[in-house]
């Protein structure tokens, strides 16, 4: 098999009239990576994905796959495939015919189409439902069919736009691990759009955080979580405090904040609310300079010496826990 290609976005831009939905973004996705495009609604994730797929024209810049500019190729000629948020299955076609549809368009004969479709259905564990209509499937099953239908074209890059958002929370977590397993088995690049940071952390080798049409930060999941570089990334990834100190603004993980006696720490804080969370207890504090700080204290530690709302405590942390932020 040939080496899987890298995917590069070069100054990629999307304008809709006067709206700039994607503003000259640059990114290099290494072949075989599970990447998540993460950001709030309206930040330009879907537009980016659709430009990669060829379902949306590029206003400026280019999409480069394996060194070749594919920006102006039709979707079926790019080596990419897209799985849509609403699955977009044909209601009048059986599961098998839905999966085989793109091969039919390519003029592949019936027997070969069927055989390939059944292979794909086996891959997503849907062989038993092969002759059903989409309406006779659960949400999770429809999603697997949509996945099989995208994979039958043997893409080098699979593009998934919020693929789990239509599922209930339980199924979402199950399908999430199936997606990851499938990506590892196939060894192809997945670019998965989500607005959920927990989903991105659970799945991604690499997280690309978007905000207001630009990439705020990109890197390995742990790096983006542990060392956010902007206020936005620190707040959006969650689990962090943004604290203004004399030396500037820093991000500090909530679970890196320790408690001590008042005036013995770096800042004092008054406990506003206490939230029990099972394995830990969150203290929401109002600290020196009217700053809101959350401290996540392990359950046993908290209950060994319980505190009450209204109490004042000292807050401590290591130098290594501070990550300087640019505006
Ligand atoms: P996301 O997927 O991150 O929610 P989108 O890429 O869908 O963001 O949208 C980015 C911006 O572009 C938004 O302001 C949205 O309203 C606008 N937009 C998206 N699609 C269109 C379109 N077809 N026509 C006009 N504006 C659009
Ligand atoms: Mg979207």
């Amino acid at each position: 098999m040939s080496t899987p290609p890298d995917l590069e976005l070069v100054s990629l831009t999307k304008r809709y009239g006067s709206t700039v939905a994607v503003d000259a973004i640059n990114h290099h996705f290494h072949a075989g990576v599970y990447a998540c495009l993460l950001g709030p609604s309206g930040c330009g994730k879907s537009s980016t994905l659709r430009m990669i797929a060829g379902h949306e024209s590029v206003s400026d810049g280019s999409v480069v796959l394996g060194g070749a500019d594919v920006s102006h190729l039709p979707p079926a000629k790019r080596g990419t495939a897209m799985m849509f948020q609403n699955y977009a299955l044909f209601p009048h076609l059986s599961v098998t015919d839905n999966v085989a549809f793109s091969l039919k368009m390519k003029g592949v004969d019936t027997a070969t189409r069927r055989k390939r479709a059944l292979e794909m259905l086996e891959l997503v564990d849907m062989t038993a439902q092969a002759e059903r209509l989409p309406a006779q499937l659960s949400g999770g099953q429809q999603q697997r069919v949509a996945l099989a239908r995208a994979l039958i074209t043997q893409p080098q890059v699979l593009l998934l736009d919020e693929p789990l958002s239509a599922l209930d929370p339980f199924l979402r977590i199950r399908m999430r691990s199936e997606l990851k397993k499938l990506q590892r088995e196939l060894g192809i690049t997945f670019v998965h759009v989500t607005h959920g940071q927990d989903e991105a952390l659970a799945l991604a080798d690499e997280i690309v955080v978007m905000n207001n049409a630009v990439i705020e930060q990109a890197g390995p999941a742990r790096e983006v979580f542990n060392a956010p570089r902007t206020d936005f990334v620190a707040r959006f990834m969650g689990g962090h405090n943004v604290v203004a100190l004399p030396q500037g603004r820093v991000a500090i993980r909530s679970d890196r904040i320790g408690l001590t006696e008042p005036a013995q720490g770096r800042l004092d804080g008054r406990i506003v609310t206490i939230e029990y969370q099972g394995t830990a207890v969150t203290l929401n504090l109002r600290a020196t300079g009217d700053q809101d700080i959350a401290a996540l204290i392990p359950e046993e530690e908290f209950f060994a010496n319980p505190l009450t709302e209204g109490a004042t405590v000292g807050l401590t942390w290591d130098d290594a826990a501070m990550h300087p932020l640019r505006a």
Side-chain angles (χ1 to χ4, degrees):
M1 207 178 116
S2 61
T3 335
D6 285 5
L7 169 67
E8 287 168 82
L9 311 182
V10 184
S11 212
L12 190 65
T13 302
K14 182 67 200 179
R15 288 184 221 97
Y16 302 102
S18 58
T19 307
V20 182
V22 180
D23 193 1
I25 64 171
N26 292 287
H27 193 71
H28 188 136
F29 296 94
H30 290 281
V33 79
Y34 201 124
C36 280
L37 268 185
L38 172 68
S41 179
C43 72
K45 306 179 298 294
S46 293
S47 299
T48 301
L49 208 66
R50 291 200 304 261
M51 285 192 285
I52 298 172
H55 295 298
E56 192 73 74
S57 65
V58 164
S59 303
D60 255 315
S62 46
V63 176
V64 178
L65 189 60
D69 187 343
V70 299
S71 312
H72 302 288
L73 292 180
K77 295 250 157 71
R78 294 190 173 199
T80 61
M82 180 125 167
M83 195 185 121
F84 295 95
Q85 192 165 357
N86 54 10
Y87 314 141
L89 300 177
F90 298 114
H92 58 289
L93 294 185
S94 71
V95 163
T96 308
D97 288 342
N98 261 286
V99 174
F101 188 78
S102 66
L103 298 187
K104 187 173 184 183
M105 291 295 98
K106 283 186 176 160
V108 176
D109 68 86
T110 313
T112 311
R113 274 191 336 244
R114 248 196 103 67
K115 180 168 165 289
R116 291 280 315 285
L118 290 171
E119 284 167 11
M120 288 301 124
L121 288 172
E122 196 172 339
L123 186 69
V124 297
D125 202 15
M126 282 290 291
T127 312
Q129 293 82 8
E131 297 314 320
R132 290 202 198 162
L133 293 172
Q136 298 167 320
L137 302 175
S138 71
Q141 290 171 334
Q142 290 182 26
Q143 197 210 34
R144 290 181 197 194
V145 176
L147 202 53
R149 193 176 55 169
L151 291 170
I152 201 166
T153 62
Q154 297 185 300
Q156 293 162 315
V157 177
L158 183 68
L159 306 161
L160 307 106
D161 195 352
E162 310 243 4
L164 304 173
S165 62
L167 305 176
D168 65 59
F170 178 77
L171 204 52
R172 193 178 304 156
I173 288 171
R174 205 177 97 199
M175 288 308 294
R176 170 168 106 183
S177 62
E178 288 187 20
L179 278 181
K180 178 97 168 187
K181 184 165 161 275
L182 194 59
Q183 189 267 341
R184 291 288 186 258
E185 280 168 16
L186 295 168
I188 64 173
T189 306
F190 275 31
V191 182
H192 172 138
V193 160
T194 177
H195 59 263
Q197 54 84 26
D198 54 339
E199 190 168 307
L201 288 173
L203 281 169
D205 301 313
E206 179 179 52
I207 297 181
V208 178
V209 185
M210 289 186 72
N211 184 32
N212 283 331
V214 299
I215 294 175
E216 285 260 334
Q217 184 168 350
R222 285 192 69 195
E223 185 184 302
V224 172
F225 182 74
N226 282 314
R229 287 202 293 263
T230 66
D231 279 32
F232 174 81
V233 175
R235 294 186 200 281
F236 195 77
M237 293 309 293
H240 284 269
N241 293 289
V242 174
V243 183
L245 299 171
Q247 63 267 42
R249 298 167 76 72
V250 297
I252 306 167
R253 275 170 55 163
S254 305
D255 61 346
R256 296 288 193 263
I257 294 189
L259 305 180
T260 182
E261 296 298 318
Q264 301 293 305
R266 296 188 190 238
L267 292 176
D268 276 355
R270 186 174 51 80
I271 301 173
V272 181
T273 57
I274 298 175
E275 292 171 359
Y276 175 57
Q277 302 195 316
T279 57
V281 175
T282 299
L283 304 186
N284 295 301
L285 302 126
R286 177 58 59 90
T288 320
D290 270 351
Q291 312 199 61
D292 291 322
I293 293 186
L296 195 66
I297 310 297
E299 186 207 18
E300 287 185 4
E301 188 183 320
F302 179 84
F303 288 105
N305 195 0
L307 292 157
T308 50
E309 289 166 357
T312 295
V313 293
L315 304 175
T316 62
W317 57 83
D318 292 340
D319 282 343
M322 290 190 284
H323 297 282
L325 297 171
R326 52 180 165 76

